[in-house]
């Protein structure tokens, strides 16, 4: 009996035989078109600046305070988009609870296909290299590719780099000026398996210079590099992987107010880059 159909190539599926320049047959525009048809949604753009809020803390804060409103034109099958007014910036869109690399990039593709021009991701993260008391933010400039999604967008490498250095520099400048908020810049480790953060894996990530572990940045930066879409990723370092009592404290309003300040700084940095 021929068992060839049951044997996998050694490099399949993550790095084997991929043409990263080939267009995808399935496009976000097609899914959005059919979702609008089926759900009878109007065709209008999402806000130019959008946010991914994997933990959902900001979304819950906006709903609790009555500051968020459902964006009726958002055609995603899996999420809802809230629109809200961010002081000094204007209308911003936000999607909550898109956790992990595949989900984050799926939503990112659809946001940019719907009119987004800047995407900011702020995800909670575990401390890998102690650089101060938590909570604090890390502006991610590169992410260790320990997930699967990024390899569909870029050839293999150890890190996915933030592709727009001038944008990151402007965002860092704006972020460091925020009162009462500690912002660092550096590398993170993006994992698909948070409950497989073994001692050996943590040691390897630390040896490679990562500051924190999260679940989205490598894939989002690979998508950004491949598509030319501007993405800025922050890690909100809130815990030491629950190794001590009282971990995972994020601050006032579960960190929502600080996160919104960081988003506003990213938006100002992007505006400054666009104007220069």
């Amino acid at each position: 009996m021929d068992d060839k159909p049951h044997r996998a190539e050694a490099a399949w599926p993550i790095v084997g035989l991929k043409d990263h320049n080939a267009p995808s047959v399935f496009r976000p525009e097609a899914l959005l078109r059919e979702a609008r048809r089926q759900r009878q949604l109007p065709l209008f753009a999402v806000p130019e600046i959008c946010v991914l809020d994997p933990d959902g803390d900001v979304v819950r804060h906006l709903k609790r305070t009555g500051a968020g409103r459902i964006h009726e034109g958002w055609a995603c099958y899996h999420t809802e988009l809230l629109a809200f007014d961010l002081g000094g910036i204007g209308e911003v869109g936000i999607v909550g609870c898109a956790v992990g690399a595949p989900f984050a990039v799926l939503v990112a593709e659809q946001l940019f296909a719907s009119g987004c021009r800047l995407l900011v991701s702020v995800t909670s993260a575990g401390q890998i290299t102690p650089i101060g008391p938590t909570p604090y933010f890390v502006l991610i400039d590169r992410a260790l590719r320990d997930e699967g999604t990024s390899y569909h967008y870029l050839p293999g490498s150890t890190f996915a780099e933030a592709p727009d250095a001038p944008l990151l520099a402007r965002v860092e400048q704006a972020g460091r000026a925020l009162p009462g908020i500690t912002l660092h810049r550096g590398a993170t480790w993006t994992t698909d398996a948070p409950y497989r953060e073994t001692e050996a894996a943590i040691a390897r990530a630390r040896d490679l210079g990562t500051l924190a572990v999260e679940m989205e940045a490598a894939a989002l930066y690979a998508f950004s590099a491949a598509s030319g879409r501007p993405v800025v990723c922050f890690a909100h370092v809130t815990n030491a992987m629950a190794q001590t009592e009282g971990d995972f404290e994020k601050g006032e309003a579960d960190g929502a107010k600080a996160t919104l300040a960081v988003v506003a700084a990213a938006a100002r940095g992007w505006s400054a880059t666009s104007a220069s």
Side-chain angles (χ1 to χ4, degrees):
M1 178 177 165
D2 187 356
D3 65 347
K4 287 183 180 179
H6 304 287
R7 291 204 305 262
E9 294 181 33
W12 179 264
I14 299 300
V15 295
L17 302 177
K18 292 193 186 302
D19 180 355
H20 292 93
N21 295 317
S24 176
V25 173
F26 184 38
R27 297 295 304 153
E29 294 85 355
L31 180 140
L32 294 167
R33 180 195 66 227
E34 295 308 306
R36 288 192 189 97
R37 176 183 61 80
Q38 291 175 355
R39 298 162 62 188
Q40 298 183 321
L41 296 174
L43 176 60
F44 56 87
V46 303
E48 289 191 347
I49 298 171
C50 289
V51 179
L52 292 181
D53 172 31
D55 279 17
D57 292 317
V58 177
V59 167
R60 286 186 287 271
H61 170 73
L62 293 170
K63 288 183 174 180
R64 187 167 57 246
T65 59
R69 52 194 176 272
I70 297 294
H71 189 282
E72 299 295 345
W74 177 232
C76 180
Y77 283 113
H78 312 95
T79 64
E80 68 177 14
L81 177 72
L82 288 188
F84 66 100
D85 298 315
L86 185 59
I89 303 302
E91 187 179 55
V92 172
I94 187 166
V95 174
C97 299
V99 178
F103 200 176
V105 172
L106 178 145
V107 174
E109 288 263 25
Q110 293 175 187
L111 283 169
F112 281 106
S114 300
C116 174
R117 295 182 60 208
L118 170 70
L119 181 62
V120 182
S121 173
V122 187
T123 186
S124 66
Q127 189 180 70
I128 294 295
T129 302
I131 53 175
T134 61
Y136 53 82
F137 291 90
V138 174
L139 173 60
I140 302 171
D141 55 21
R142 60 180 185 156
L144 184 62
R145 297 173 67 181
D146 194 16
E147 41 64 61
T149 305
S150 67
Y151 296 91
H152 295 274
Y153 286 86
L154 293 179
S157 61
T158 304
F159 285 92
E161 306 275 347
D164 192 334
L167 170 61
L168 220 65
R170 296 291 183 97
V171 171
E172 181 182 12
Q173 183 180 29
R176 290 193 184 277
L178 293 172
I181 291 176
T182 301
L183 177 70
H184 302 278
R185 174 172 168 170
T188 58
W189 163 27
T190 304
T191 181
D192 272 345
Y195 299 124
R196 292 301 299 153
E197 292 169 4
T198 63
E199 288 186 9
I202 292 168
R204 174 178 178 266
R206 186 179 293 122
D207 289 344
L208 288 169
T210 68
L211 302 179
V213 58
E214 41 73 35
M215 295 182 66
E216 296 87 20
L220 286 169
Y221 278 157
F223 158 74
S224 177
S227 66
R229 306 290 198 178
V231 177
V232 176
C233 295
F234 293 92
H236 191 190
V237 183
T238 62
N239 67 87
M241 291 171 282
Q243 298 304 294
T244 60
E245 291 288 336
D247 220 350
F248 289 89
E249 293 300 322
K250 299 180 179 181
E252 185 180 1
D254 291 326
K257 292 185 178 180
T259 296
L260 288 172
V262 166
V263 169
R268 288 193 295 272
W270 174 68
S271 297
T273 303
S274 301
S276 61

